[in-house]
Amino acid sequence: EAGVVQSPRYKIIEKKQPVAFWCNPISGHNTLYWYLQNLGQGPELLIRYENEEAVDDSQLPKDRFSAERLKGVDSTLKIQPAELGDSAVYLCASSLAGLAGDEQFFGPGTRLTVL
Amino acid sequence: GDSVTQMEGPVTLSEEAFLTINCTYTATGYPSLFWYVQYPGEGLQLLLKATKADDKGSNKGFEATYRKETTSFHLEKGSVQVSDSAVYFCALSSVGNEKLTFGTGTRLTIIP
């Protein structure tokens, strides 16, 4: 079974430029998560989707971040414009039904460096 | 809100030593508790979990018991190996707040 796929793996951009990250969850998984992981910290949720609906986006900085999950499968996370403080690892995860006890499966992450 | 407090690292042990990584939590209701591990160059993966009080999660020789009275979920292993070197994250998820809330992680290094 294929795992969660993310691309790109690494991205270096100048500040104020836009950037987009793509995630393909495990087939059949209805719930998709985007997490932000700063160096030396645990991941923190940015947004959670149930199928194509964003059910928790309370931690997403909506002035510069946006996300979509068209057709309830792949998802894209965008930052425009990027700031120096956005340098971090962006993780995508998926789970079968989004229940509290469900295992979340993580992708390898996209490491973003903003110069 | 939900939070996880994890033992500060890094932790360095000799091979075959006993390991304990402490984890305590604060949550409304009865959360599910997890230990995730990140091996060098790899993504986060589930190590073990427990979904109700007094449950014991176990995998690869690691164990953790859900202690409601002390709000703890300490990770233990009787004899560590060099291959256990990784970063370990304690996490929780609650009904009505079905995201993972992570601790800061503990970097474990095992020396031969």
Side-chain angles (χ1 to χ4, degrees):
Chain A
E1 176 181 274
V4 176
V5 179
Q6 289 187 249
S7 69
R9 291 293 309 278
Y10 304 91
K11 188 75 176 177
I12 301 173
I13 61 171
E14 299 280 336
K15 64 180 180 181
K16 300 185 182 179
Q17 294 300 305
V19 64
F21 314 124
W22 176 80
C23 173
N24 181 243
I26 292 173
S27 177
H29 280 195
N30 294 325
T31 309
L32 184 145
Y33 314 77
W34 283 102
Y35 289 88
L36 165 69
Q37 186 175 20
N38 286 305
L39 189 64
Q41 300 295 317
E44 297 178 346
L45 183 75
L46 288 172
I47 189 167
R48 174 167 69 97
Y49 283 94
E50 295 288 345
N51 298 303
E52 62 272 13
E53 181 184 0
V55 295
D56 184 356
D57 63 356
S58 57
Q59 300 304 307
L60 189 72
K62 298 181 186 64
D63 57 335
R64 297 186 300 107
F65 286 64
S66 64
E68 60 182 12
R69 190 184 184 198
L70 300 177
K71 301 181 181 179
V73 182
D74 295 3
S75 178
T76 303
L77 178 69
K78 298 178 182 177
I79 308 175
Q80 183 170 11
E83 297 179 351
L84 295 177
D86 296 331
S87 294
V89 177
Y90 292 81
L91 298 170
C92 180
S94 69
S95 69
L96 192 59
L99 301 177
D102 284 354
E103 176 179 359
Q104 293 184 25
F105 295 82
F106 285 81
T110 297
R111 182 176 297 278
L112 174 68
T113 302
V114 182
L115 302 175
Chain B
D2 295 351
S3 67
V4 175
T5 301
Q6 195 172 334
M7 177 175 168
E8 294 288 330
V11 174
T12 302
L13 295 172
S14 297
E15 204 166 19
E16 300 183 2
F18 183 85
L19 168 71
T20 299
I21 301 178
N22 290 336
C23 172
T24 57
Y25 66 89
T26 302
T28 54
Y30 302 102
S32 294
L33 302 174
F34 305 82
W35 278 99
Y36 277 80
V37 59
Q38 190 166 33
Y39 296 104
E42 299 184 18
L44 273 168
Q45 55 187 274
L46 180 67
L47 179 61
L48 53 84
K49 72 176 186 180
T51 58
K52 62 182 187 296
D54 300 324
D55 271 2
K56 179 187 286 187
S58 60
N59 186 25
K60 299 183 180 180
F62 290 89
E63 294 182 340
T65 301
Y66 188 142
R67 300 288 188 198
K68 179 169 167 280
E69 63 276 12
T70 56
T71 61
S72 65
F73 193 54
H74 304 320
L75 183 68
E76 297 182 336
K77 186 174 184 182
S79 176
V80 293
Q81 306 300 312
V82 172
S83 58
D84 293 327
S85 298
V87 182
Y88 292 80
F89 292 93
C90 185
L92 68 81
S93 182
S94 300
V95 174
N97 191 19
E98 287 84 356
K99 64 178 184 182
L100 284 169
T101 298
F102 286 89
T104 54
T106 301
R107 181 174 297 278
L108 174 67
T109 302
I110 307 301
I111 54 176

